[in-house]
Amino acid sequence: MISPELIQRINELSHKKKTVGLTEEEKQEQAKLYKIYLAGIRGQMKQQLDSIEFVD
């Protein structure tokens, strides 16, 4: 599930990556968080698409 804390941490790491750079541990954490975020987005999209009902 996508929580505000997850998004905040992703944004913090992204900002740090652009300014100072990330350590190897932070790169791994960022990759893990991206996977969680993308899985959540895909789940939301699938749920939305499953709820669509075609009417003829």
Side-chain angles (χ1 to χ4, degrees):
M1 183 172 166
I2 301 171
S3 66
E5 294 84 16
L6 175 78
I7 294 172
Q8 180 182 0
R9 184 63 181 152
I10 289 172
N11 288 336
E12 289 171 0
L13 289 172
S14 176
H15 178 70
K16 185 175 179 185
K17 180 180 179 180
K18 291 177 185 176
T19 56
V20 183
L22 298 176
T23 65
E24 199 58 41
E25 291 174 355
E26 289 170 331
K27 288 178 186 178
Q28 292 173 358
E29 179 186 5
Q30 187 181 41
K32 178 184 169 188
L33 294 176
Y34 281 156
K35 286 181 182 181
I36 294 169
Y37 179 78
L38 288 175
I41 293 295
R42 288 181 183 121
Q44 289 175 0
M45 182 61 75
K46 183 176 179 342
Q47 183 179 19
Q48 189 173 10
L49 290 173
D50 288 343
S51 68
I52 294 174
E53 184 177 319
F54 292 99
V55 178
D56 214 3

